[in-house]
Amino acid sequence: MLTLLALALAIAPSDTLRRGPAPYWQQRVAYDISARLEEPLGVLRGTQHILYVNNSPDTLRSFALHLHLNAFRPGSAWSDADSVEGRRRFNDLKDPDYASNHVSNVRIMGQPVTAIYPLAPDSTIVRFQLPAPLAPGDSMVIETEWDARLSTVARRQGRRGRHYDFAQWYPKVVVYDQYGWEEHPLVPAGEFYGEFGSFRVQLDVPEDQVLGATGVPVCGDPGWSGANQDKSRAVEYGVDAYPGIAQQVSGPGPGQNGACAFAGMRATELSPGYKRVLWYAESVHHFALTMAPDYRYEGGRFQKTLVHVLYQPGDEKSWGGVAVKRTEIALNWLGQLFGPFAWPQITNVHRIDGGGTEFPMMIMDGSASQGLIVHELGHNYTMGILANNEWREGWLDEGFTSFQSSWFSEVVEKAKDTYAGNEANVLQLDLGGWSEPVSLISDKYSDFVVYNQMIYSKGELFLQQLRYVVGDSVMHEILQTYYARWQMKHVDGARFQAVAEEVSRMDLGPLFGQWLHGTPMFDYAVGKVQRRQQGDGWVTRVQVLRKGDGMMPVDVAVIAETDTAIVRTDGLAPKAWVEVTTRSEPKEVLIDPTVHAHDWNMLNNRYRFTLFGKRSPPVTNYFDTWFSEPESRDHVERGFMPAAWYNTAGGLVIGARARENYLGMFEENQLLLSYNLGGPGDDASVKEFDYFLRLKNPVWLRAPSQSQRLEVFRTEGRWGGLLGWDWSRRDHLTFGPTRSAGVSLRLVDIDNTAFLDPQQYIDVGIVELMTDWGIRNRVGKWQLGGKLSLGGGLVFNRDGLAAVQPDLDEFYFRGEIEGTARRELAKKLTFAGRLYGGVAVGAHTAAKQRQIYLSSSDPFAQLYNPFLRSEGSLLVLDDVPYQAPGGAGVRAADFRISGPALIAANVELERTMLVRQKSKLFSRVSLAAFGDAAQGIGGPDQLATGEALGFVADAGLGVRANHRIGKTSFMTRFDFPFYLSEPAYSRNDFAQDDAFAFRWLFSVQAAF
Ligand SMILES: [Zn+2]
């Protein structure tokens, strides 16, 4: 016997291979539910009888039910997943606000069974051992009593007053499929998976409730007639959709109250003040239910499908008269796309929760927008009728319905093509390294946001790419075949792919494989190009280079003098030659002209036939206004701007700046040319030509979260350069700490001291290597930040590494550490604090330009700002007390005061006085009280006091306003430090005698 069994097992796999995929099967389920709503408790109490037929080839030994409502309570897997990602919803709810679903007295095959909660403490799955094995083809009956309560915080389900949105509310049979029992907890990422079945539902509710449900009312009054807003149209119940059901029902029929009963269902007594409504549905994998006494009803019909709309008081304008029409429009669109709606009715409900959720024959919507209705009704096709496992392959419902909704707005609403926006959004996620495979099991995504982006947006983009590859009419045929073949069945990616390949007669393996199971990057480039005249026309040979790991069919366009021709290549080979024939002389070759290959780098896609022939990135020039920088998907944006500023030695400086970017993240290059016309004083007047060049984030160095910089400059008496690398990443797309690190090598040498304030610079060159680390995070109500930079440099002059002043060393160490904390103390009242320490020393001291400054950032940080960097610049004039925040931040002090080491603390208390959200200027105005304190450690005597820098503190009041011009947000800050412990240090030269005096300063940046 054992030998025979072993032999059978050994044969089985090869036998399976020979037969191909196993034939499709699905279990059969029939529910009889009898339930009564207890008000005001809001508890629905019921009994349930399930007939279960095992159509699988397996003998079943256990059985499982979903108790989905148990997700919306403290301690559930859902609540814990929420908490991990910083959402507090159900973990804080108390009895009786949280949801629950309990089963009791469970009997299977007539015998009592014990409930097992395999995912405890989560109780959204309950499992039972069968009293006897259930063989293939056999059936059994499961009987339970249960109670169900919705949560007062709405999520898909919910209750508010006497309005109840019952979704996933009864003990629901877990799907048994080729993978076994799909026992999966309900968590935020991933939705539902249901076994198709029939439902006989007997509901006892207070007489004034107006109801909507999956299925059709076959006896009793759902309240539609009384709530009907369109008196010209009689309510249609649609009972004729199920001709066989009449024999199973006794009572007055739909729309009228009376002694309604299903044949064979246990009769219960109807309480006074209650009515009984019977519902029936076939071939659905869920039964949704909603009720509210003040629902408004409107009805309609599209072909054979009845439309019921239930909306709330106050919706007369937003839902009344329009929701029915929009539901019919959606039915029309989806019918054309897939085929006729498979169920007799659709109910569209204005639910308590925002957004929308789909259920068979019912959509619960937060608004009556056409887009939302098309999306949710689309789910009745992809999810409802074509029933995928939503936690295993969410893209099959969300990606699909997002895809068809976009196609709807493109075709029916004649709206601007939504493809471009979605493609660019997905590209940003791909480039940022956030993308994960579209077919990932829902709760395996790194967080809820990535899950959403992948299954909705990238899932949609995949289907757009399929449409691009096969063409519109074949795509249409694929959808129709998929729907005809798989309706009322369970679908998966492989089943959809098989249909798509059969209809298109194409091998779509690479497309499905890469887009669903990987995260490749696509990049095609023009290689060699040749052209020759042939007969009346021209033949252009284009070498298409595949530079990315991703492979997509890609178009090659040849733009000729009077005509354009496009040839599509499969994009598989690393190098492929394509021949394109045009009637006139070719001028330009463009790869992927419609941006459909998801090619991240469009800068290497163009070739122009010029005298020497050249590959050149497409560029658009614009006049720059400083505040906004346009970003484009397929070309470089390059902005030009004139500039002028002033300093003492150079006098008026005139210049022009060009800056460019690609995708807002690459080729962020900048060139600034300027000329100093010469200052007023003869001795110090300098006429010189300056430049600043920055190359940042070239496409060839693409790496997620990283940034690279090369700068060279000659600016106002200084020359040098910088080579820098930075890395910055948040742990998750929308939450968690942001960490950063960087390293830079900088050279700043002096070739003309006429521009320099000797209190900021001594005449030496400096090479500095600096590393830095940072972290920012929200912890409870605190917004915390920390920064550390450590490095050192060497000091030289024309004679080499020689000291230019007796106590100056060749080498110095420089380090800064800063911690900031900010939180709201009360509404409109914010506390902010900062601790700082900085040191810049050799054996004695560091050069003045590298010391730690009492009030401001150091001179190197100001090199980029023409209004700050040189003596006599606009913002360093005596009468213009500007503060460039940084250093020890003692804002009342002169920006030239520095020492070798300083520790400091700064605090601000800010009270919002005015908020004007829609305004660009003065969108928020606030008052602040502040105090700064610093302690200098060692160092030379200060000019102002003749003593080394010691303890300095200030305090005062300030006013701030927030503004936004174009894409630039900034603050104007006026501070009045009426107290300064060391008045000789005052930035205002009129207030250098008394500690208490009127002082002021301003800035366009926050103090810290
Ligand atoms: Zn959806």
Side-chain angles (χ1 to χ4, degrees):
M1 187 68 189
L2 272 176
T3 331
L4 271 179
L5 190 66
L7 198 65
L9 285 172
I11 290 170
S14 61
D15 201 38
T16 312
L17 278 180
R18 219 176 303 132
R19 279 206 309 265
Y24 177 81
W25 51 266
Q26 70 191 24
Q27 308 293 60
R28 192 163 88 74
V29 184
Y31 291 86
D32 273 0
I33 298 175
S34 167
R36 179 179 183 280
L37 180 70
E38 290 178 6
E39 285 200 290
L41 279 179
V43 174
L44 194 65
R45 221 174 277 285
T47 58
Q48 193 162 301
H49 173 286
I50 302 166
L51 172 70
Y52 187 89
V53 183
N54 181 14
N55 288 332
S56 82
D58 311 323
T59 297
L60 303 183
R61 290 183 167 78
S62 69
F63 178 77
L65 293 166
H66 290 286
L67 305 175
H68 283 308
L69 288 181
N70 289 339
F72 308 107
R73 58 180 299 162
S76 68
W78 175 303
S79 299
D80 289 348
D82 265 358
S83 298
V84 166
E85 299 187 7
R87 293 183 300 267
R88 300 293 298 188
R89 287 188 284 194
F90 306 105
N91 253 344
D92 298 332
L93 289 187
K94 304 257 183 312
D95 198 9
D97 286 332
Y98 58 76
S100 62
N101 191 0
H102 307 106
V103 287
S104 55
N105 283 331
V106 184
R107 291 176 306 283
I108 299 182
M109 300 172 175
Q111 295 188 42
V113 288
T114 309
I116 303 161
Y117 293 89
L119 312 174
D122 182 89
S123 54
T124 54
I125 293 283
V126 59
R127 185 197 292 161
F128 308 96
Q129 288 301 317
L130 294 184
L134 187 70
D138 273 5
S139 64
M140 62 178 172
V141 167
I142 301 99
E143 291 161 289
T144 70
E145 291 171 20
W146 53 262
D147 61 70
R149 188 176 72 191
L150 307 170
S151 61
T152 53
V153 172
R155 181 63 194 130
R156 294 186 191 140
Q157 49 74 47
R159 64 186 150 108
R160 186 176 62 204
R162 298 189 62 208
H163 181 164
Y164 303 87
D165 291 330
F166 279 99
Q168 315 288 346
W169 48 279
Y170 55 91
K172 181 180 162 180
V173 174
V174 171
V175 174
Y176 185 86
D177 65 10
Q178 73 264 38
Y179 304 106
W181 287 105
E182 298 280 356
E183 291 177 347
H184 192 265
L186 187 64
V187 289
E191 295 180 81
F192 309 104
Y193 186 32
E195 205 77 86
F196 280 97
S198 60
F199 287 79
R200 298 199 306 169
V201 179
Q202 170 185 304
L203 281 174
D204 290 2
V205 297
E207 272 170 348
D208 60 344
Q209 285 285 7
V210 180
L211 288 84
T214 297
V216 298
V218 293
C219 188
D221 182 16
W224 298 344
S225 202
N228 192 7
Q229 304 299 298
D230 181 4
K231 300 294 181 201
S232 67
R233 188 181 186 283
V235 171
E236 287 184 272
Y237 296 96
V239 69
D240 49 343
Y242 299 114
I245 197 67
Q247 300 144 25
Q248 298 181 36
V249 174
S250 61
Q256 289 166 52
N257 287 323
C260 294
F262 276 119
M265 200 181 274
R266 200 162 43 143
T268 54
E269 203 157 306
L270 192 62
S271 324
Y274 273 65
K275 63 180 177 183
R276 177 167 293 169
V277 187
L278 308 186
W279 300 84
Y280 183 71
E282 265 174 24
S283 294
V284 289
H285 50 71
H286 181 58
F287 190 97
L289 172 66
T290 183
M291 66 185 93
D294 51 8
Y295 263 148
R296 278 46 173 163
Y297 174 90
E298 282 180 34
R301 174 189 274 277
F302 177 76
Q303 293 169 354
K304 285 183 179 166
T305 311
L306 288 178
V307 174
H308 308 297
V309 169
L310 294 169
Y311 56 83
Q312 302 174 15
D315 292 342
E316 287 71 17
K317 285 215 172 71
S318 50
W319 283 70
V322 296
V324 169
K325 187 101 210 97
R326 288 175 188 162
T327 311
E328 291 167 356
I329 288 169
L331 281 170
N332 183 23
W333 160 252
L334 291 158
Q336 286 175 32
L337 203 60
F338 290 98
F341 196 58
W343 290 316
Q345 65 93 5
I346 180 71
T347 302
N348 182 0
V349 175
H350 187 186
R351 71 171 179 185
I352 299 165
D353 197 7
T357 306
E358 65 285 359
F359 308 99
M361 294 193 228
M362 174 174 279
I363 54 177
M364 292 190 180
D365 288 331
S367 86
S369 87
Q370 182 72 72
L372 183 63
I373 291 172
V374 170
H375 179 102
E376 301 301 344
L377 194 54
H379 274 309
N380 263 255
Y381 282 82
T382 51
M383 187 295 281
I385 303 167
L386 298 158
N388 62 302
N389 181 338
E390 292 183 273
W391 67 266
R392 206 179 264 279
E393 289 179 297
W395 70 273
L396 270 173
D397 51 285
E398 296 303 350
F400 235 114
T401 203
S402 301
F403 164 71
Q404 67 79 14
S405 308
S406 294
W407 205 351
F408 170 85
S409 53
E410 182 187 321
V411 173
V412 182
E413 298 190 312
K414 308 266 184 273
K416 199 170 159 277
D417 188 355
T418 56
Y419 168 80
N422 188 44
E423 196 269 344
N425 163 50
V426 172
L427 183 64
Q428 293 285 337
L429 295 167
D430 290 346
L431 287 169
W434 294 109
S435 292
E436 294 170 43
V438 170
S439 67
L440 208 61
I441 288 178
S442 300
D443 63 4
K444 298 288 181 275
Y445 284 103
S446 50
D447 58 63
F448 187 61
V449 179
V450 173
Y451 152 79
N452 276 304
Q453 290 286 357
M454 292 302 113
I455 68 157
Y456 284 79
S457 306
K458 198 161 181 180
E460 172 186 343
L461 185 62
F462 161 66
L463 291 161
Q464 292 281 17
Q465 304 300 31
L466 177 62
R467 180 184 157 197
Y468 151 78
V469 169
V470 300
D472 280 11
S473 68
V474 173
M475 188 69 189
H476 199 228
E477 210 183 313
I478 289 171
L479 299 188
Q480 302 248 336
T481 310
Y482 178 50
Y483 184 67
R485 185 169 305 166
W486 286 101
Q487 60 178 267
M488 311 307 192
K489 294 191 177 81
H490 291 141
V491 290
D492 59 25
R495 286 168 187 155
F496 175 63
Q497 183 181 342
V499 170
E501 291 191 325
E502 177 193 313
V503 173
S504 68
R505 297 197 185 90
M506 292 168 84
D507 172 12
L508 299 169
L511 187 77
F512 275 73
Q514 293 182 76
W515 278 85
L516 299 179
H517 303 288
T519 53
M521 296 302 295
F522 302 89
D523 181 20
Y524 289 95
V526 187
K528 299 192 183 85
V529 176
Q530 300 157 357
R531 63 175 177 178
R532 63 173 193 276
Q533 236 170 331
Q534 187 175 302
D536 291 343
W538 291 76
V539 174
T540 307
R541 294 188 76 227
V542 181
Q543 192 185 37
V544 178
L545 308 176
R546 178 170 64 75
K547 298 191 145 190
D549 51 342
M551 299 168 216
M552 272 291 285
V554 62
D555 289 340
V556 179
V558 171
I559 300 157
E561 209 153 64
T562 58
D563 65 323
T564 295
I566 294 179
V567 168
R568 186 172 291 180
T569 171
D570 63 17
L572 298 176
K575 284 180 189 170
W577 284 96
V578 177
E579 272 193 10
V580 186
T581 307
T582 51
R583 288 192 302 277
S584 55
E585 189 182 338
K587 295 287 168 206
E588 192 176 317
V589 173
L590 201 54
I591 291 186
D592 194 20
T594 58
V595 199
H596 267 88
H598 201 47
D599 183 336
W600 74 267
N601 179 9
M602 298 291 289
L603 303 187
N604 53 17
N605 288 26
R606 189 171 73 152
Y607 180 96
R608 296 165 93 183
F609 293 99
T610 56
L611 195 54
F612 303 104
K614 71 174 193 212
R615 275 169 284 278
S616 62
V619 178
T620 298
N621 296 312
Y622 68 96
F623 183 78
D624 200 347
T625 56
W626 196 83
F627 290 101
S628 298
E629 206 176 349
E631 297 163 5
S632 285
R633 173 68 182 90
D634 61 353
H635 60 263
V636 169
E637 292 281 358
R638 184 180 294 154
F640 294 92
M641 190 180 87
W645 59 90
Y646 183 87
N647 63 66
T648 308
L652 184 66
V653 187
I654 53 167
R657 188 186 76 175
R659 64 172 173 178
E660 57 184 32
N661 82 84
Y662 172 57
L663 286 173
M665 61 197 299
F666 295 113
E667 306 297 340
E668 294 178 281
N669 307 322
Q670 201 181 112
L671 177 64
L672 174 63
L673 299 174
S674 57
Y675 185 72
N676 295 267
L677 293 170
D682 284 344
D683 293 351
S685 173
V686 183
K687 293 189 171 73
E688 74 166 37
F689 175 78
D690 287 344
Y691 63 87
F692 170 82
L693 173 68
R694 171 186 291 163
L695 302 174
K696 188 176 169 193
N697 302 343
V699 283
W700 60 273
L701 278 175
R702 177 186 74 84
S705 313
Q706 294 182 27
S707 171
Q708 311 87 14
R709 237 175 348 149
L710 171 68
E711 295 171 359
V712 288
F713 68 91
R714 180 193 186 224
T715 299
E716 294 164 15
R718 284 146 287 186
W719 66 275
L722 181 141
L723 192 60
W725 171 90
D726 290 294
W727 172 90
S728 172
R729 191 167 184 84
R730 200 167 186 188
D731 280 10
H732 292 266
L733 248 178
T734 55
F735 64 94
T738 304
R739 302 164 207 275
S740 61
V743 58
S744 65
L745 180 67
R746 185 199 292 267
L747 163 70
V748 180
D749 193 12
I750 292 168
D751 63 6
N752 192 336
T753 55
F755 289 93
L756 306 178
D757 183 338
Q759 291 191 66
Q760 286 188 299
Y761 281 89
I762 59 170
D763 187 10
V764 291
I766 294 212
V767 178
E768 188 176 88
L769 180 69
M770 196 57 74
T771 58
D772 55 80
W773 292 270
I775 186 162
R776 274 197 325 273
N777 197 16
R778 186 163 197 95
V779 180
K781 292 191 167 165
W782 289 95
Q783 186 66 47
L784 303 176
K787 270 197 270 187
L788 172 70
S789 62
L790 291 174
L794 60 88
V795 180
F796 62 93
N797 66 8
R798 284 162 202 86
D799 306 322
L801 288 178
V804 291
Q805 60 190 60
D807 58 350
L808 188 71
D809 304 299
E810 292 97 329
F811 296 95
Y812 66 91
F813 163 83
R814 194 169 201 278
E816 285 179 285
I817 186 163
E818 180 191 71
T820 53
R822 190 176 297 271
R823 71 167 286 176
E824 204 162 72
L825 295 178
K827 202 169 159 18
K828 296 186 173 179
L829 189 66
T830 309
F831 165 84
R834 170 179 184 257
L835 290 173
Y836 170 84
V839 59
V841 287
H844 304 89
T845 181
K848 184 74 177 158
Q849 51 266 49
R850 298 315 294 138
Q851 291 184 4
I852 306 299
Y853 280 71
L854 179 61
S855 140
S856 307
S857 56
D858 64 75
F860 279 9
Q862 288 156 19
L863 264 174
Y864 300 101
N865 191 334
F867 301 104
L868 285 174
R869 66 184 162 220
S870 297
E871 191 164 25
S873 294
L874 196 62
L875 296 177
V876 299
L877 298 176
D878 280 344
D879 303 340
V880 187
Y882 183 83
Q883 191 214 2
V890 180
R891 66 197 82 188
D894 191 287
F895 65 95
R896 287 163 283 220
I897 294 166
S898 66
L902 277 163
I903 51 171
N906 316 86
V907 288
E908 288 208 350
L909 210 53
E910 199 175 338
R911 159 107 175 128
T912 302
M913 305 306 288
L914 176 73
V915 177
R916 309 188 311 150
Q917 242 136 20
K918 290 201 176 126
S919 318
K920 288 184 171 159
L921 297 178
F922 297 93
S923 56
R924 173 173 164 268
V925 177
S926 59
L927 293 180
F930 61 84
D932 310 299
Q935 175 69 49
I937 302 163
D941 294 344
Q942 298 290 326
L943 278 177
T945 57
E947 290 168 17
L949 193 52
F951 178 79
V952 190
D954 69 15
L957 298 171
V959 56
R960 294 103 171 74
N962 292 78
H963 318 279
R964 186 181 171 87
I965 303 179
K967 291 182 187 169
T968 303
S969 296
F970 64 99
M971 166 190 266
T972 44
R973 170 165 65 91
F974 286 86
D975 280 339
F976 305 93
F978 55 80
Y979 173 75
L980 177 60
S981 66
E982 194 68 75
Y985 289 153
S986 175
R987 173 72 168 89
N988 303 118
D989 52 11
F990 54 80
Q992 290 172 342
D993 299 326
D994 301 312
F996 287 93
F998 172 78
R999 295 184 184 86
W1000 73 286
L1001 61 103
F1002 76 100
S1003 187
V1004 291
Q1005 285 174 279
F1008 53 88

